[in-house]
Amino acid sequence: MRLINTGFVLRNLQTTIAKRVSVSGAGVHSGAPVTLSFIPAAVDTGIVFHVMDSEGVTHPIKAHVSQVGATDLSTKLTNSAGMSVSTIEHVMAAIAGSAIDNMVLEINGPEVPIFDGSSTAFLAALDEAELVQQSAKRRYIRILKHSRVESGTSWAEFIPYDGTRYEVEIDFETPVIGHQKFSGDMNDTVFRREISRARTFGFMRDVERLWAVGLALGSSLDNSLVIGDDNTVINPGGLRYPDEFVRHKTLDAIGDLSLAGAPFIGCYRSYRGGHRLNATILRALLADSSAFEIVEMPQDGSSMTSVAVSH
Ligand SMILES: [Zn+2]
């Protein structure tokens, strides 16, 4: 049975895609061209990257916080053999925003293509692949109590909430960004309309510094919002949303938090957060078995009342 895309709406059955679809583009840090294929997967597979090495051998890496390696400029997954795939957050946000549980992402390089710096190209590919409902029940992580991590002035936390909510706050000295906050219950409509088009951003002075050490080699005005030394957005088209910066931070959080391995029921809040803090709060949550429970929705999928299946 084919489904329309219902995003974060609580759904009681697991979902994969109906057919294989591929996209090709360049990585923002390596600048290297890669092809990423979305492949249907069986119940309880989860989201798994299949990273091809130079000999064409495939190495599976589960999209789970336990595999998170570096979080300096993007979120990178690494396996025990040292294979890795980086800049996974924007495609993971598109997958979470489409409520897909099981899929293989085959990639013939070490970095997910950046496209326009948002989730738009991935959403278009997943729309083309079409969603298909599977026979097993979908599981959620329901937040039972407050979990919080801090780093300097930055913090992130989960609190219990009947729904899936994001409250993301940033505070930059640069006046063009300044203080911005996104608050909202997340569903497919909100994700597509309010979040999915928000692009990654950076400062011209940082891009020049990164270029000097061989990073951000694929970075350009086509895939990033760039703030110049005069504190204005350099991109000729300007902003897609007046507060595009905090919306992109929300997009990153949606991608990073999907590495819990199941969607959460609760409210995620952060102040001056980022990839590292997102991985840290997820690890703190999952390390405390009294902070959450794994639940399934009742058959009609209409009620928040849930059945605990394990702790
Ligand atoms: Zn991002």
Side-chain angles (χ1 to χ4, degrees):
M1 176 174 38
R2 300 280 163 88
L3 291 176
I4 55 167
N5 190 340
T6 53
F8 282 92
V9 173
L10 295 178
R11 182 187 284 164
N12 68 340
L13 291 176
Q14 294 184 27
T15 301
T16 186
I17 51 174
K19 62 183 180 193
R20 179 185 180 119
V21 171
S22 299
V23 293
S24 296
V28 69
H29 293 299
S30 62
V34 285
T35 296
L36 173 67
S37 298
F38 299 99
I39 303 169
V43 157
D44 292 335
T45 302
I47 307 299
V48 182
F49 284 86
H50 281 187
V51 183
M52 281 164 59
D53 63 22
S54 53
E55 265 104 59
V57 178
T58 296
H59 304 262
I61 307 179
K62 199 162 177 62
H64 190 269
V65 67
S66 59
Q67 305 299 126
V68 169
T71 49
D72 298 329
L73 298 165
S74 67
T75 297
K76 180 177 185 175
L77 301 175
T78 307
N79 72 3
S80 54
M83 290 297 290
S84 65
V85 57
S86 62
T87 322
I88 61 149
E89 55 271 18
H90 304 161
V91 69
M92 290 304 298
I95 293 166
S98 303
I100 296 170
D101 301 286
N102 304 306
M103 192 162 61
V104 167
L105 278 68
E106 187 183 275
I107 186 165
N108 63 352
E111 186 182 8
V112 173
I114 189 69
F115 294 112
D116 69 351
S118 77
S119 290
T120 305
F122 304 116
L123 273 186
L126 294 173
D127 284 348
E128 187 188 336
E130 298 185 65
L131 304 195
V132 58
Q133 209 172 44
Q134 298 175 289
S135 57
K137 283 196 170 185
R138 187 168 212 226
R139 288 182 285 272
Y140 292 82
I141 294 172
R142 184 206 283 271
I143 307 299
L144 296 177
K145 72 176 192 188
H146 186 197
S147 298
R148 181 180 170 102
V149 294
E150 298 179 4
S151 175
T153 59
S154 303
W155 53 261
E157 63 186 8
F158 281 110
I159 53 176
Y161 182 76
D162 277 343
T164 300
R165 184 173 177 83
Y166 284 82
E167 296 183 4
V168 175
E169 202 170 349
I170 58 174
D171 204 351
F172 283 78
E173 283 182 17
T174 306
V176 69
I177 305 179
H179 176 259
Q180 298 185 357
K181 184 171 183 178
F182 176 86
S183 299
D185 286 16
M186 201 50 64
N187 58 46
D188 71 315
T189 307
V190 175
F191 180 75
R192 278 178 184 258
R193 193 180 58 204
E194 310 290 343
I195 302 295
S196 70
R197 297 176 62 247
R199 291 163 291 175
T200 192
F201 59 92
F203 296 88
M204 196 63 218
R205 60 175 184 271
D206 292 336
V207 174
E208 288 166 342
R209 183 176 55 79
L210 291 169
W211 281 341
V213 294
L215 291 170
L217 296 176
S219 189
S220 78
L221 296 181
D222 294 331
N223 56 38
S224 309
L225 273 173
V226 180
I227 297 155
D229 295 336
D230 61 351
N231 280 325
T232 60
V233 171
I234 293 174
N235 304 61
L239 297 169
R240 291 178 175 175
Y241 312 94
D243 56 353
E244 186 168 354
F245 305 99
V246 75
R247 289 170 193 252
H248 186 79
K249 282 287 190 179
T250 306
L251 186 158
D252 280 342
I254 291 168
D256 287 342
L257 298 180
S258 73
L259 299 177
F264 68 86
I265 299 170
C267 177
Y268 164 80
R269 303 173 68 209
S270 74
Y271 177 72
R272 299 182 65 155
H275 301 302
R276 179 174 291 116
L277 210 59
N278 290 337
T280 306
I281 184 64
L282 260 195
R283 289 189 179 116
L285 171 73
L286 298 178
D288 181 357
S289 61
S290 68
F292 69 96
E293 62 179 346
I294 307 293
V295 297
E296 293 174 346
M297 291 298 108
Q299 201 59 46
D300 65 6
S302 61
S303 166
M304 286 299 300
T305 307
S306 56
V307 180
V309 293
S310 69
H311 275 267

